[in-house]
């Protein structure tokens, strides 16, 4: 079996080496990421495989701390009349007592780079180009290994990319790659591996396999995420509760249904986080904060719907959102203002014979409650937004995900997909209903159709 390509990730302290590795490996637990300098004190490795075959080994190294002094020491290592090349001079350094004492950290970096096929020199593009960085590059160049500069944190508004490009060119490093480990560009990994292909001809096939596999995995994640959202929407559209038309029982049924829908959405949130290998605590939103593992803002609060620009239904729903209370009298039966206002404004629910904008049907003893279209829209908008945020998030990000007001007019105001209208007529399609039959071919077909619109 072909040996995997070995890459040493090197650079100054606190420039994002471990962050880069977290993003490349999609492992939020790799190493320790901190704003404190010198967090990594030893070499730590990770392996990327495709179909069980290891293709790439990545080695996180300690930060270079005193390259200026090391360079001065290296120059004094040569004996009179000697002209050692870079690798020979560094080998002599590694055999010295200084490599085990004063320059112990630097020795770990040099030793790992010399044992690797190439190095990724990580740069915090927000930092000015200082003499210490030039000295680091001179020391690393002495290892005799190809070195690819990686400009990290280029998504920051205060980056100094032009300065770094000029400085690297003056040092003979014309090939580089932009890669923000917190908010990586969509093609960031592909560009990194393509740059390595130009430098390492023998590794070209293995790197191409990595490129192809990671693109395929991304498509799988996106498809799986959309399916999770489609299943959530069908579950909620098909969900219904039967209740005797009495205020007390109506209120209890509304409360139970609201909790069921909230919990179902939370399961979708957690499934999306797991799909993208993030932690439960990574999800947070601007207007809809995730508190104690649950969405903070009430799904059924009309103010929440208005904040995200969700179109409310007509008639009673719109009136309730505006703060109006109404009485309903059907067949001599009266629902009081408090009960009905709570059912609408607090629950945004509708009865079985009033799908869409019609809120109330004819009451005949038993009444059926279903989830209002506006709530389905809200579920779709914020789950789609969460999916997009996860897809663009690097695994080195330390801040929680914040969801802002998304430009999602189709789901806010457009006609709901036909699959959801059909789901309303099939309560057996919802996992929230007793006797659910989730493997029905027609249900799966509607989920597939809905997935295309998500």
């Amino acid at each position: 079996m072909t040996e995997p390509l070995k890459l040493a990730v090197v650079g100054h302290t606190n420039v994002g080496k471990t962050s880069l590795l977290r993003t490349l490996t999609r492992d939020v637990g790799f190493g320790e990421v901190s704003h404190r300098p010198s967090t990594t004190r030893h070499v730590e490795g990770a392996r990327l495989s495709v179909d069980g075959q290891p293709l790439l080994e990545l080695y996180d190294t300690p930060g270079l701390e005193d390259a200026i002094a090391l360079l001065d020491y290296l120059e004094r290592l040569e004996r009179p009349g000697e002209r050692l090349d870079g690798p020979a001079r560094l080998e002599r350094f590694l055999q010295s007592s200084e490599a085990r004492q004063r320059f112990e950290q630097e020795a770990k970096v040099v030793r790992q780079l010399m044992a690797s096929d190439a190095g990724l020199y990580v740069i915090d593009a927000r930092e000015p180009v200082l003499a210490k960085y030039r000295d680091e590059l001179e020391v690393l160049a002495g290892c005799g290994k190809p070195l690819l500069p990686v400009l990290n944190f280029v998504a920051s508004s205060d980056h100094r990319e032009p300065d770094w490009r000029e400085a690297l060119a003056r040092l003979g490093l014309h090939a580089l790659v932009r890669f923000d480990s917190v908010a990586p560009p969509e093609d960031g990994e592909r560009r990194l591996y393509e740059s390595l292909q130009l430098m390492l001809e023998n590794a070209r096939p293995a790197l191409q396999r990595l490129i192809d596999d990671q693109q395929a995995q991304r498509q799988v994640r996106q498809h799986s995420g959309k399916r999770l959202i489609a299943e959530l929407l069908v579950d909620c559209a098909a969900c219904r509760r039967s209740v005797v038309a009495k205020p007390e029982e109506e209120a209890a049924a509304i409360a139970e249904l609201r909790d069921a829908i909230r919990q179902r959405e939370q399961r979708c949130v957690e499934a999306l986080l797991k799909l993208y290998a993030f932690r439960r605590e990574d999800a947070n939103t601007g207007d809809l904060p995730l508190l104690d593992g649950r969405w903070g803002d009430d799904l059924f609060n009309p103010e929440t719907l208005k904040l995200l620009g969700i179109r409310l239904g007509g008639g009673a729903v719109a009136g309730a959102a505006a703060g109006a209370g109404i009485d309903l009298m059907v067949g001599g039966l009266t629902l009081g203002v408090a009960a009905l206002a709570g059912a609408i404004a607090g629950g945004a629910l509708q009865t079985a014979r009033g799908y869409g904008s019609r809120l109330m049907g004819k009451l005949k003893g038993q009444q059926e409650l279903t989830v209002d279209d506006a709530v389905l829209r809200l579920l779709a908008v914020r789950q789609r937004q969460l999916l997009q945020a996860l897809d663009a998030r690097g695994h080195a990000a330390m801040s929680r995900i914040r969801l802002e007001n998304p430009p999602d007019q189709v789901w806010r105001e457009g006609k709901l997909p036909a699959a959801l209208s059909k789901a309303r007529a099939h309560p057996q399609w919802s996992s929230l209903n007793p006797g659910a039959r989730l493997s029905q071919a027609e249900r799966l077909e509607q989920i597939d159709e809905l997935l295309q619109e998500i």
Side-chain angles (χ1 to χ4, degrees):
M1 184 174 66
T2 307
E3 285 291 311
L5 176 68
K6 294 180 172 62
L7 290 181
V9 181
V10 300
H12 199 70
T13 59
N14 214 32
V15 295
K17 298 183 296 297
T18 303
S19 296
L20 175 66
L21 279 160
R22 283 189 172 186
T23 296
L24 291 177
T25 59
R26 290 184 175 81
D27 182 0
V28 295
F30 180 88
E32 181 183 353
V33 173
S34 170
H35 297 300
R36 293 179 289 106
S38 307
T39 303
T40 302
R41 306 302 296 179
H42 59 277
V43 175
E44 195 170 346
R47 175 177 285 182
L48 299 183
S49 302
V50 174
D51 297 330
Q53 180 182 353
L55 298 178
L56 178 62
E57 290 179 354
L58 295 155
Y59 294 94
D60 191 13
T61 64
L64 293 164
E65 296 179 342
D66 199 359
I68 297 174
L70 176 57
L71 194 59
D72 181 63
Y73 176 73
L74 291 174
E75 290 171 352
R76 298 199 308 269
L77 279 178
E78 290 189 6
R79 304 181 182 106
E82 280 188 324
R83 294 182 63 87
L84 299 176
D85 63 12
R89 189 164 60 167
L90 287 171
E91 284 288 359
R92 181 173 292 178
F93 157 67
L94 293 175
Q95 300 303 317
S96 71
S97 61
E98 291 290 89
R100 296 184 294 276
Q101 298 174 19
R102 180 184 176 188
F103 299 114
E104 180 186 10
Q105 293 296 98
E106 285 77 11
K108 291 176 182 177
V109 178
V110 168
R111 191 175 287 113
Q112 184 57 58
L113 180 55
M114 294 184 73
S116 301
D117 298 297
L120 300 178
Y121 180 71
V122 183
I123 297 166
D124 185 342
R126 301 168 298 185
E127 288 288 307
V129 182
L130 303 176
K132 62 182 179 181
Y133 299 127
R134 296 189 179 93
D135 289 344
E136 286 175 5
L137 285 165
E138 186 172 343
V139 171
L140 295 171
C143 294
K145 300 292 183 176
L147 203 61
L148 176 64
V150 179
L151 294 180
N152 198 10
F153 305 119
V154 288
S156 173
S157 59
D158 57 349
H159 70 76
R160 302 169 185 261
E161 182 180 344
D163 296 343
W164 276 105
R165 285 184 176 273
E166 180 182 355
L168 291 168
R170 292 172 70 90
L171 293 169
L173 294 168
H174 298 278
L176 58 83
V177 65
R178 304 171 80 253
F179 193 101
D180 194 293
S181 56
V182 174
E186 185 173 338
D187 60 349
E189 289 176 74
R190 178 178 60 80
R191 287 181 176 274
L192 190 151
Y193 294 137
E194 285 176 346
S195 296
L196 287 170
Q197 282 181 317
L198 297 175
M199 301 170 65
L200 302 165
E201 184 67 28
N202 292 339
R204 185 177 284 270
L207 290 167
Q208 190 59 50
R209 283 192 67 189
L210 272 177
I211 292 171
D212 294 342
D213 179 70
Q214 291 188 348
Q215 289 179 337
Q217 290 298 323
R218 183 172 194 175
Q219 291 176 352
V220 167
R221 284 192 298 273
Q222 290 174 340
H223 184 273
S224 299
K226 291 176 181 178
R227 174 168 286 276
L228 287 170
I229 298 173
E231 290 173 345
L232 165 70
L233 295 176
V234 167
D235 260 3
C236 293
C239 181
R240 64 175 64 179
R241 294 290 183 271
S242 294
V243 60
V244 175
K246 295 181 179 179
E248 298 81 5
E249 297 192 29
E250 177 94 13
I254 288 169
E256 189 277 328
L257 182 52
R258 288 172 60 182
D259 284 343
I261 299 301
R262 289 193 195 97
Q263 291 170 15
R264 180 62 184 86
E265 187 199 18
Q266 185 58 37
R267 291 200 297 274
C268 183
V269 170
E270 292 170 4
L272 286 172
L273 289 169
K274 183 177 180 181
L275 175 66
Y276 278 83
F278 289 107
R279 299 161 296 201
R280 284 186 62 182
E281 59 267 26
D282 284 332
N284 192 30
T285 66
D287 294 325
L288 307 170
L290 191 72
L291 303 173
D292 299 324
R294 300 195 50 179
W295 294 108
D297 268 20
D298 196 335
L299 261 176
F300 305 98
N301 188 335
E303 187 63 26
T304 300
L305 299 173
K306 291 198 296 182
L307 282 172
L308 283 185
I310 303 297
R311 189 187 69 176
L312 297 171
V317 177
I326 60 172
D327 280 298
L328 177 72
M329 297 189 65
V330 178
L333 194 67
T334 302
L335 293 180
V337 173
L340 186 58
I344 303 170
L349 301 172
Q350 60 197 33
T351 53
R353 302 185 69 176
Y355 303 134
S357 61
R358 293 179 304 161
L359 183 67
M360 290 297 180
K362 186 177 180 181
L363 299 178
K364 293 184 178 179
Q366 285 286 324
Q367 177 179 334
E368 286 191 329
L369 302 173
T370 65
V371 179
D372 189 74
D373 289 355
V375 174
L376 295 178
R377 293 179 190 278
L378 177 57
L379 287 168
V381 166
R382 64 186 191 181
Q383 293 304 309
R384 276 165 45 87
Q385 191 187 11
L386 176 60
L387 178 62
Q388 292 166 6
L390 293 174
D391 195 52
R393 180 177 173 88
H395 286 73
M398 299 179 70
S399 61
R400 295 167 68 127
I401 297 169
R402 296 190 64 83
L403 305 185
E404 305 302 335
N405 199 339
D408 205 342
Q409 294 304 116
V410 172
W411 278 94
R412 284 175 172 177
E413 301 177 357
K415 184 180 179 182
L416 282 179
L420 295 182
S421 298
K422 184 168 289 190
R424 288 202 182 279
H426 295 273
Q428 72 276 17
W429 289 1
S430 176
S431 66
L432 303 176
N433 293 333
R437 296 196 291 275
L438 307 184
S439 59
Q440 277 191 341
E442 190 177 7
R443 176 184 184 272
L444 299 177
E445 180 183 324
Q446 294 304 314
I447 287 175
D448 286 338
E449 290 189 12
L450 182 57
L451 188 152
Q452 303 305 318
E453 301 194 48
I454 293 174

